[in-house]
């Protein structure tokens, strides 16, 4: 197969299935199976791994995927065995499973086993002398593995596939010195989900006419969960033979969808049984309680919130166990996520405590919470209650006001989570809450009794308060969130919060005063002031005294979208005592502010700072840098003179031509002839020639003249339309994309300095010209480099592009070494030829390596992938296995991803402000007047009208929520802010 054919096949994700009459039975409708199979088949060929664990929540398709892998690979082994549903068996029945496994792999029908120990010994003996494929399905307790595989390390050519709901299963394998590859199964995407649901509901891959919207709602609810899609789809099967029955089924579909949202809704028993196994298998009761707390109250909240809800250490260990049990995930920004079906299961379990919501410890269904507060019949058994007035059902007024006495009767209430709820009455007898959420709180001042001394977290986002005066006694408070309080002008007496760790004031667009006693908060770690534009401008006339002294304890400081333009705007003094993260995204400054010391800077985010010109002398402590959308940025340098970032993202930096230690792009016209490789002096004659350079949307479409590219120590350039006579001057040439040669024996005075490598390629007229690679292998020494330049020349149909590259690797080229050179291009291009010459010099060699440290790009022993763009996406592992061979360690050594750009074509960061309002517009005329009024507000870029809602988007530094709502009320329409983001 040619390289072009391979890349085409990779992109199209084609797999040729084997035919085997003795295959395990699997569904013929396996949505999205090809890509999932390809990923595991890659590891099946890797001799470094003895075992592969397919992990995921119950019903996610682990067993189906294992069966497909088993069917495809069993013929490559001496024998095989698939041991199903191990988790369903009592441990006393495990010897029967041992017997079944031995009978399969030995081909004998009657095998006698007197004990579990004897069965284990026989299995281990077989694995040592036979090459067998074994699937151990539904392993939850890692100790069960020892019954099949023993407890001591041994050599084997066999492969073990495990399906499990435990992500930490590899820990057991490490105890016997085996390498286990953990593969977390991906749930189906939206398209695959709709196909699978439709197959079972309509007998076709597309929804039946009239059911399109209903099918989409069901698929969305299932969130890619295969078992649910199949089970619910089958229960809602619609035949097109009886039109009358179709009308009836339409109503049944609607009732089913409504039941998803109801506390009395009942998920199919088969689905519930599968999901509940993971919950029931949790070994600690406090982990089960933690799961229920998260399902009822903490989904989409931060991990830190849960940690302080329970005992910090035990809560964090519990979160870790829930993650390992595939019951919980954590997003990159630290938010807790749970699959909708698991959350529904958790809430259902919580509801089993009592048929009466008022007699449960957790009341989290909005309709039930509404009734408890309306009737005032709560009890001392309630410890947590949640109510979102925007989600209450029919017959319940979203404008209803409850009596505070309905809360007072809940003596043991510790957590109250309210959204847009209104109360009447006194707050003096409120119970001793630990957590208070009250989004959209209508109170303009905090009444006595509401903020009690027991509180550890307050979240009052989108409230109406104008001044927040911290009361005495909040010594235990650790988290204070006032995001989106668009009327808030002043925050006072912060020194009364000695244990505060997180202060969030994002989108407080009218805030002009923040208590300077913030300097005294020795435990403050996280400070978010996003979009607080007036906080800085309010004191801009004061050129002597800084606005704020910040505590040295800060770990995260967020000043993004604050309209900071000059040094005098950043009126803070901050000297960190430990590594910290600084977020300055979407600000109009040209240079970094000087008021904050950066010596302890760990992470710097400057997304969409469009006027930023340079980043000189970045500190050695910096490990993460994000500058996407900084279209004026030209250069980045480091104090150490070396590139040591662990993560670096720079998409849309249209003028970026140098990142010290990473890459540098210089017009050939600015390079002296003496600084060129000796064999390249001739290219100066073409320095003003035009070339069509492209860069994977990393930097701009560079000046059309010839450029010199320097990266990884490699020097390269592209010439367009140059005659192929240049190949005549090379020592070794080929009219194809591959060549091999042996390094010749040389006179003692001649030393090899490096390699000149060139190739000619052109377009085939197909719109698929995304990448060029060169692979150099010193087969004798076992060293391989695959290089993809950050800049390349887009070819034309009628003429060749000449790619010249110089590799200073002379120190690792010795006489007699066999060297291969391969050029890879996308299937829209063709290679016309390639050539290699050795460059010699007298004396010692100055450049000993391609780059000082290539460990970040190592994908196997002696193999390095020098590429900064994720060209192949999910198929990258297959590409690396093909180009380097099967024994790569790709999933564990992802260093090459540290400076990775997003997949080609991804969008730039969006920093627009979004205001969501609830509006009472009764006619098209009123709506038209409202749109006209809001359009006149400064900073508005777009408006969307929904049912009872209005969404306004615009520039964060100009769009004022107060002005928007006042304009609407001025024309006689009631409006209330729901969300500012």
């Amino acid at each position: 197969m040619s390289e072009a054919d391979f890349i085409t096949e990779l992109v199209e994700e084609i797999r040729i299935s084997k035919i085997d009459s003795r295959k395990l039975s699997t569904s013929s409708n396996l949505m999205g199976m090809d890509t999932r199979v390809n990923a595991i088949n890659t590891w099946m060929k890797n001799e470094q791994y003895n075992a592969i664990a397919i992990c995921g929540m119950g019903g996610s398709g682990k067993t189906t995927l294992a069966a497909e892998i088993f069917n495809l690979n069993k013929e490559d082994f001496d024998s095989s065995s698939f041991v199903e549903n191990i988790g369903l068996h009592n441990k006393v029945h495990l010897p029967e499973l041992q017997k079944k496994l031995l009978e399969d792999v030995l081909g004998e029908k009657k095998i006698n086993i007197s004990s579990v120990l004897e069965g284990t010994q026989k299995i281990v003996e077989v694995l040592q002398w036979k090459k067998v494929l074994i699937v151990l399905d539904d392993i939850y307790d890692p100790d069960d593995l020892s019954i099949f595989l023993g407890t001591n390390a041994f050599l084997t050519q066999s492969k073990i596939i495990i399906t499990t709901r435990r992500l930490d299963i590899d820990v057991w394998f490490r105890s016997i010195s085996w390498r286990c590859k953990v593969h977390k199964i991906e749930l189906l995407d939206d398209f695959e989900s709709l196909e699978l649901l439709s197959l079972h509901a309509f007998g076709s891959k597309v929804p039946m006419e009239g059911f399109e919207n209903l099918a989409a709602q069901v698929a969305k609810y299932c969130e890619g969960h295969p078992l649910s899609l199949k089970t619910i789809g089958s229960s809602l099967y619609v035949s097109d033979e009886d039109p009358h029955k179709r009308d009836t089924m339409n109503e049944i579909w609607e009732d089913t969808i409504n039941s998803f949202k109801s506390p009395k809704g009942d998920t199919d028993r088969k689905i519930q049984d599968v999901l509940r196994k993971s919950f029931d298998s949790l070994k600690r009761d406090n982990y089960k309680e933690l799961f229920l707390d998260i399902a009822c109250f903490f989904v989409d909240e931060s991990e830190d919130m849960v940690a302080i809800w329970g005992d910090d250490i035990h809560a964090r260990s519990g979160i870790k166990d829930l993650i390992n049990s595939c019951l919980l995930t954590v997003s990159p920004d630290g938010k807790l996520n749970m699959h909708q079906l698991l959350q529904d299961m958790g809430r259902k379990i919580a509801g089993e405590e009592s048929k009466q919501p008022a007699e449960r410890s957790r009341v989290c269904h909005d309709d039930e919470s509404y009734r408890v507060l309306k009737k005032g019949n709560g009890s001392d058994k309630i410890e947590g209650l949640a109510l979102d007035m925007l989600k209450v059902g029919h017959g319940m007024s979203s404008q209803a006001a409850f009596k505070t006495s309905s809360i007072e009767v809940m003596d043991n209430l510790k957590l109250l989570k309210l959204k847009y709820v209104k109360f009447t009455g006194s707050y003096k007898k409120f119970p001793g809450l630990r957590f208070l959420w009250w989004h959209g709180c209508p109170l303009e001042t905090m009444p006595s009794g509401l903020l009690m001394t027991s509180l550890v977290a307050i979240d009052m986002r989108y409230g109406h308060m104008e001044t927040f005066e911290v009361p005495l006694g909040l010594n235990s408070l650790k988290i204070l969130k006032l995001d989106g309080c668009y009327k808030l002008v002043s925050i006072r007496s912060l020194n009364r919060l000695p244990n505060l760790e997180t202060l969030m004031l994002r989108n407080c667009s009218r805030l002009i005063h923040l208590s300077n006693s913030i300097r005294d908060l020795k435990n403050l770690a996280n400070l978010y002031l996003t979009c607080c534009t007036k906080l800085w401008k309010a004191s801009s006339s004061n050129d002597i005294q800084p606005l704020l002294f910040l505590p040295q304890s800060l770990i995260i400081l967020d000043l993004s979208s604050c309209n900071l333009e000059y040094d005098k705007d950043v009126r803070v003094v901050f000297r960190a005592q430990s590594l910290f993260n600084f977020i300055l995204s979407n600000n109009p400054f040209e240079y970094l502010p000087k008021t904050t010391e950066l010596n302890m800077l760990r992470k710097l985010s400057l997304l969409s700072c469009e006027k930023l010109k340079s980043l000189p002398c970045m500190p050695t402590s910096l490990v993460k840098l994000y500058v996407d959308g900084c279209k004026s940025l030209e250069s980045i340098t480091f104090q150490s003179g070396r590139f040591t970032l662990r993560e670096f993202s720079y998409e849309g930096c249209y003028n970026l031509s140098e990142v010290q230690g990473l890459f540098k792009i210089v017009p050939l016209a600015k390079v002296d002839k003496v600084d060129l490789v000796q064999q390249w002096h001739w290219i100066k004659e073409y320095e003003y020639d035009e070339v069509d350079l492209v860069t994977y949307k990393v930097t701009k479409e560079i000046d059309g003249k010839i450029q010199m590219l320097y990266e990884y120590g490699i020097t390269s350039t592209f010439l367009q339309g140059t005659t192929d006579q240049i190949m005549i001057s090379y020592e070794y040439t080929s009219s194809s994309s591959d060549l091999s040669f042996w390094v010749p024996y040389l006179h003692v005075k001649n030393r090899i300095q490096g390699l000149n490598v060139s190739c000619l390629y052109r377009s085939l007229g197909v719109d698929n010209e995304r990448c060029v690679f060169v692979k150099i292998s010193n087969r004798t020494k076992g060293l391989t480099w695959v290089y993809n330049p950050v800049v390349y020349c887009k070819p034309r149909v009628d003429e060749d592009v000449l790619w010249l590259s110089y590799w200073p690797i002379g120190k690792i080229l010795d006489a007699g070494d066999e060297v291969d050179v391969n050029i890879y291009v996308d299937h829209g291009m063709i290679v016309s030829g390639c050539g290699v010459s050795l460059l010699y010099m007298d004396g010692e060699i100055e450049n000993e390596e391609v780059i000082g440290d290539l460990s970040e790009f190592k994908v196997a022993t002696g193999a390095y992938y020098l590429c900064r763009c994720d060209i192949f996406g999910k198929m990258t592992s297959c590409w690396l296995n093909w180009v380097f061979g099967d024994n790569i360690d790709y999933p564990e050594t992802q260093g090459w991803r540290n400076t990775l750009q997003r997949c080609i074509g991804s969008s730039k960061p969006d920093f627009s402000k979004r205001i969501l309002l609830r509006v009472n517009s009764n006619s098209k005329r009123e709506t038209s007047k409202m749109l006209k009024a809001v359009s006149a507000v400064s900073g508005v870029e777009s408006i969307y009208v929904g049912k009872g809602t209005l969404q306004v988007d615009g520039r964060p530094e100009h769009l004022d929520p107060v002005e928007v709502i006042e304009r609407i009320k001025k024309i006689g329409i009631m409006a209330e802010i729901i969300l500012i983001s």
Side-chain angles (χ1 to χ4, degrees):
M1 181 194 303
S2 70
E3 298 81 11
D5 288 339
F6 174 80
I7 295 174
T8 302
E9 181 174 310
L10 207 57
V11 173
E12 295 176 355
E13 300 175 5
I14 295 172
R15 177 179 56 80
I16 301 175
S17 299
K18 296 181 180 180
I19 304 298
D20 182 357
S21 59
R22 295 177 291 109
K23 286 182 178 179
L24 288 173
S25 175
T26 59
S27 171
S28 59
N29 303 314
L30 301 175
M31 297 299 110
M33 189 61 71
D34 281 359
T35 53
R36 292 160 177 81
V37 166
N38 280 333
I40 297 181
N41 267 338
T42 297
W43 293 324
M44 288 291 293
K45 299 172 185 176
N46 193 329
E47 296 177 359
Q48 298 181 52
Y49 295 100
N50 304 106
I52 298 163
I54 303 173
C55 308
M57 64 184 287
S60 58
K62 303 182 297 293
T63 302
T64 303
L65 180 57
E68 187 74 357
I69 295 293
F70 183 81
N71 287 338
L72 288 169
N73 291 276
K74 59 185 295 187
E75 292 303 308
D76 297 332
F77 294 81
D78 298 336
S79 56
S80 57
S81 178
F82 195 110
V83 186
E84 295 183 85
N85 297 320
I86 295 173
L88 293 179
H89 293 82
N90 191 292
K91 291 189 183 294
V92 298
H93 296 133
L94 289 177
E96 292 298 317
L97 298 180
Q98 290 179 319
K99 183 178 178 182
K100 192 264 184 191
L101 189 156
L102 286 169
E103 288 174 349
D104 287 345
V105 297
L106 294 175
E108 300 177 14
K109 291 188 176 181
K110 291 185 179 181
I111 291 182
N112 295 319
I113 298 176
S114 60
S115 67
V116 171
L117 179 60
E118 181 187 358
T120 302
Q121 290 174 339
K122 286 187 176 182
I123 293 172
V124 170
E125 288 174 5
V126 172
L127 291 176
Q128 286 178 305
W129 66 270
K130 287 191 75 172
K131 181 182 178 182
V132 299
L133 174 61
I134 295 174
V135 174
L136 302 176
D137 177 48
D138 194 21
I139 293 284
Y140 188 81
D141 186 349
D143 291 339
D144 288 348
L145 288 170
S146 61
I147 294 173
F148 294 97
L149 305 175
T151 56
N152 299 311
F154 58 89
L155 295 177
T156 180
Q157 290 183 305
S158 300
K159 290 285 187 181
I160 314 295
I161 301 175
I162 296 156
T163 69
T164 178
R165 286 164 280 133
R166 297 290 308 183
L167 284 173
D168 56 353
I169 198 77
D170 59 319
V171 174
W172 185 89
F173 282 96
R174 288 202 295 271
S175 71
I176 64 167
S177 301
W178 272 25
R179 298 191 67 183
C180 174
K181 175 50 56 188
V182 174
H183 174 77
K184 186 175 181 181
I185 193 169
E186 291 185 11
L187 297 178
L188 303 181
D189 61 29
D190 293 343
F191 179 76
E192 294 166 341
S193 297
L194 192 58
E195 276 197 346
L196 184 59
L197 176 74
S198 298
L199 278 168
H200 290 271
F202 311 111
S204 111
K205 288 188 176 182
V206 294
M208 186 180 293
E209 185 178 354
F211 287 84
E212 296 90 347
N213 185 49
L214 295 171
Q217 292 182 61
V218 173
K220 182 179 180 181
Y221 172 76
C222 293
E223 293 185 1
H225 189 254
L227 177 62
S228 302
L229 289 161
K230 289 188 286 187
T231 305
I232 296 175
S234 298
S235 69
L236 295 173
Y237 180 75
V238 181
S239 172
D240 59 357
E241 296 178 0
D242 187 347
H244 177 71
K245 192 174 182 181
R246 280 182 57 183
D247 294 338
T248 304
M249 285 304 300
N250 200 295
E251 295 176 5
I252 294 174
W253 275 71
E254 290 178 351
D255 290 342
T256 301
I257 292 169
N258 290 332
S259 74
F260 295 156
K261 308 170 186 177
S262 169
K264 296 181 180 179
D266 193 14
T267 307
D268 187 279
R269 183 62 181 267
K270 181 179 179 181
I271 301 172
Q272 281 293 327
D273 288 346
V274 170
L275 296 176
R276 180 125 187 189
K277 282 170 61 179
S278 294
F279 174 80
D280 291 337
S281 297
L282 293 172
K283 294 183 177 180
R284 296 188 181 182
D285 289 341
N286 58 338
Y287 289 174
K288 292 181 179 180
E289 293 297 312
L290 180 64
F291 172 81
L292 297 180
D293 285 339
I294 294 173
C296 292
F297 305 115
F298 289 99
V299 171
D300 205 33
E301 298 293 342
S302 69
E303 185 176 352
D304 291 340
M305 289 284 274
V306 180
I308 66 171
W309 167 244
D311 176 72
D312 187 71
I313 296 176
H314 290 99
R316 291 190 186 277
S317 64
I319 289 172
K320 183 177 179 181
D321 194 68
L322 293 178
I323 292 171
N324 285 331
S325 299
C326 295
L327 290 170
L328 188 69
T329 60
V330 180
S331 68
D333 60 350
K335 298 288 183 67
L336 299 180
N337 297 324
M338 188 178 289
H339 194 282
Q340 184 65 56
L341 292 166
L342 290 172
Q343 185 179 7
D344 288 350
M345 177 192 73
R347 293 185 169 200
K348 183 175 177 61
I349 294 172
E352 291 171 356
E353 191 175 353
S354 171
K355 289 184 177 180
Q356 300 301 320
E359 298 298 317
R360 301 174 193 156
S361 57
R362 302 174 185 87
V363 184
C364 57
H365 287 286
D366 297 306
D367 290 2
E368 292 179 339
S369 299
Y370 182 98
R371 293 189 184 96
V372 167
L373 294 181
K374 197 67 177 175
K375 294 178 180 178
N377 65 345
S379 70
D380 57 4
K381 290 187 178 180
I382 299 178
E383 298 179 11
L385 182 142
L387 171 58
D388 184 348
M389 292 297 284
L390 299 180
K391 296 180 179 179
V392 293
H394 297 297
M396 302 179 186
S397 172
S398 61
Q399 300 297 322
F402 305 102
K403 296 179 180 180
T404 54
S405 58
S406 64
I407 297 290
E408 293 172 4
V409 297
M410 306 177 197
D411 293 336
N412 291 312
L413 187 67
K414 297 294 185 289
L415 182 152
L416 184 60
K417 189 171 188 176
L418 306 174
K419 292 186 178 181
Y420 311 102
V421 177
K422 297 176 183 177
F423 286 103
T424 60
S426 171
Y427 295 85
K428 291 183 178 180
K429 295 183 180 180
F430 250 47
L433 298 173
R434 298 189 72 237
F435 273 56
L436 173 61
W437 276 277
W438 195 352
H439 292 187
C441 173
L443 303 174
E444 294 185 355
T445 58
M446 292 297 103
S448 60
L450 178 60
L451 303 183
M452 59 287 295
T453 59
S454 56
L455 282 167
V456 294
I458 297 174
D459 185 345
M460 301 188 76
R461 283 176 273 183
Y462 320 120
H464 292 212
M465 69 197 77
E466 295 180 2
T467 298
F468 188 85
E469 177 85 28
V470 178
L472 291 169
L474 292 182
N475 293 345
S476 299
L477 194 71
K478 293 185 177 183
I479 296 176
L480 176 59
K481 296 183 180 182
L482 300 175
D483 296 339
C485 292
Y486 61 96
K487 294 182 180 180
L488 186 63
V489 174
S490 176
I491 299 178
R492 305 183 183 280
S493 306
L494 283 172
N495 58 307
R496 295 174 178 174
L497 303 173
N499 290 300
L500 190 67
E501 296 175 359
T502 297
L503 177 59
M504 303 183 75
L505 302 170
R506 295 175 295 193
N507 290 303
C508 294
S509 55
R510 294 208 162 188
L511 184 66
I512 60 173
H513 175 261
L514 181 61
S515 172
N516 221 345
S517 61
I518 192 172
R519 72 173 76 180
D520 301 323
L521 303 182
K522 306 302 181 184
N523 293 302
L524 188 64
N526 310 303
L527 177 60
Y528 297 87
L529 297 170
T530 309
C531 290
C532 294
T533 53
K534 293 190 177 181
L535 181 62
W536 318 104
K537 304 298 181 182
S539 301
S540 61
S541 59
N542 183 354
D543 295 326
I544 301 174
Q545 196 71 14
L547 177 63
L548 286 174
F549 284 88
L550 299 180
Q552 295 181 334
S553 55
L554 282 181
I555 296 174
I556 297 176
L557 175 58
D558 187 347
L559 304 181
S560 56
S561 299
C562 284
N563 200 24
L564 305 174
E565 189 170 2
Y566 307 106
D567 264 354
K568 67 178 182 179
D569 293 333
V570 190
R571 307 183 65 77
V572 298
V573 174
F574 175 50
R575 296 179 177 88
Q577 65 183 7
S578 59
L579 294 174
F580 76 103
N581 302 340
F582 201 6
I583 306 170
L584 282 164
S585 298
N586 198 41
N587 279 300
F589 46 67
E590 293 185 3
Y591 302 97
L592 280 184
K594 298 177 182 177
T595 54
T596 300
E597 289 188 5
L598 304 179
N599 292 335
M600 300 297 289
L601 185 63
R602 179 181 181 272
K603 173 183 174 182
L604 178 60
S605 181
L606 295 163
L607 304 178
S608 291
C609 291
E610 296 184 350
K611 294 184 179 180
L612 182 65
K613 291 184 175 179
S614 66
L615 290 174
C617 298
M618 289 289 95
T620 55
S621 59
L622 187 67
V623 294
K624 299 180 181 181
L625 176 61
Y626 308 103
V627 292
D628 303 67
C630 295
K631 61 184 182 182
S632 300
L633 185 63
E634 297 175 357
S635 65
I636 303 173
T637 60
F638 302 91
Q639 288 179 355
S640 64
R642 298 175 61 242
F643 181 88
T644 56
L645 297 177
R646 300 292 301 173
E647 290 184 16
F648 179 42
S649 183
Y650 52 106
E651 183 176 355
C653 295
Y654 298 143
N655 284 291
L656 187 60
S657 60
E658 179 181 6
V659 180
Q660 189 176 22
L662 190 66
F663 71 82
K664 184 176 181 180
I665 304 170
V666 182
L668 177 58
K670 293 184 179 181
V671 179
D672 290 337
K673 191 173 184 178
V674 295
D675 293 329
L676 292 171
V677 178
Q678 184 177 359
Q679 296 178 355
W680 289 11
H681 288 177
W682 61 273
I683 68 173
K684 285 291 287 181
E685 300 175 16
Y686 301 92
E687 61 186 22
Y688 295 110
D689 279 15
E690 298 285 337
V691 285
D692 187 7
L693 296 175
V694 289
T695 62
Y696 305 125
K697 297 190 177 182
V698 173
T699 55
K700 72 172 184 178
E701 292 182 2
I702 305 168
D703 172 36
K705 304 298 186 290
I706 294 175
Q707 308 282 319
M708 299 300 299
L709 171 64
Y710 306 89
E711 57 178 340
Y712 309 105
I714 303 167
T715 302
S716 62
T717 190
F718 294 84
L719 287 77
Q720 207 151 16
T722 304
T723 175
D724 59 4
Q725 294 299 310
I726 184 64
M727 290 297 177
I728 298 175
S729 63
Y730 281 84
E731 293 177 70
Y732 311 101
T733 61
S734 170
S735 58
S736 70
S737 59
D738 311 298
L739 67 80
S740 299
F741 67 94
W742 282 266
V743 177
Y745 289 88
L746 306 170
H747 190 276
V748 68
K749 290 184 178 181
N750 290 332
R751 288 182 174 271
I752 301 173
Q753 183 176 356
L755 284 181
N756 274 328
V757 180
S758 72
C759 77
L760 295 166
Y761 64 91
R762 64 172 58 195
S763 173
L764 292 173
V766 179
D767 188 21
N768 196 7
E769 302 157 347
R770 303 173 304 168
C771 56
V772 291
F773 289 86
V774 60
K775 173 183 175 182
I776 296 180
S777 303
N778 186 328
R779 294 170 63 88
T780 306
K781 290 187 169 61
L783 295 171
T784 299
W785 303 270
V786 174
Y787 169 50
N788 169 238
V790 71
V791 174
Y792 74 100
C793 183
K794 188 174 182 179
R796 300 165 186 161
V797 175
D798 56 344
E799 62 183 13
D800 284 321
V801 169
L802 173 63
W803 177 20
L804 299 172
S805 63
Y806 168 67
W807 299 61
I809 54 174
K811 192 73 174 181
I812 52 176
L813 292 176
D814 294 320
D817 284 358
E818 183 182 1
V819 179
D820 291 343
V821 175
N822 309 95
I823 310 297
Y824 305 137
V825 296
D826 216 338
H827 84 279
M829 299 182 281
I830 188 171
V831 177
S832 308
C834 59
V836 173
S837 282
L838 294 165
L839 185 65
Y840 304 97
M841 66 173 292
D842 294 331
E844 293 297 321
I845 300 173
E846 298 177 3
N847 300 310
E848 296 188 358
E849 301 177 17
V850 174
I851 197 171
D853 181 11
L854 282 179
S855 59
E856 301 298 332
F857 303 92
K858 184 178 179 181
V859 292
T861 302
Y864 303 91
Y865 186 50
L866 310 181
C867 175
R868 304 197 189 279
C869 188
D870 192 6
I871 295 171
F872 299 108
K874 294 180 181 179
M875 300 302 294
T876 299
S877 59
C878 297
W879 157 249
L880 292 180
N881 272 281
W882 187 81
V883 77
F884 286 106
D886 291 333
N887 292 324
I888 66 161
D889 197 18
Y890 159 73
E892 291 183 0
T893 48
Q894 298 185 22
W896 68 274
R897 288 179 172 265
N898 292 338
T899 54
L900 179 66
Q901 295 305 295
R902 299 176 183 87
C903 289
I904 298 171
S906 59
S907 58
K908 65 174 288 186
D910 180 13
F911 283 97
S912 60
K913 178 183 284 185
R914 175 163 295 171
I915 304 170
L916 185 64
L917 305 101
R918 179 165 47 195
V919 294
N920 186 20
S921 176
N922 297 316
S923 67
K924 290 184 178 179
R925 185 178 179 184
E926 283 191 348
T927 301
S928 178
K929 288 173 63 178
M930 179 176 62
L931 292 175
K932 185 176 180 180
V934 174
S935 298
V937 176
S938 175
V940 171
E941 294 180 341
S942 60
I943 305 172
Y944 304 93
V945 180
K947 187 177 181 180
T949 63
L950 184 73
Q951 177 182 308
V952 184
D953 294 342
R955 296 297 299 170
E957 63 268 29
H958 300 303
L959 183 57
D960 186 350
V962 176
E963 185 179 357
V964 171
I965 204 165
E966 287 178 350
R967 290 284 185 109
I968 297 174
K969 289 181 177 180
K970 193 173 182 180
I971 60 175
I973 298 176
M974 294 301 297
E976 182 179 13
I977 290 179
I978 298 173
L979 176 69
I980 304 175
S981 64

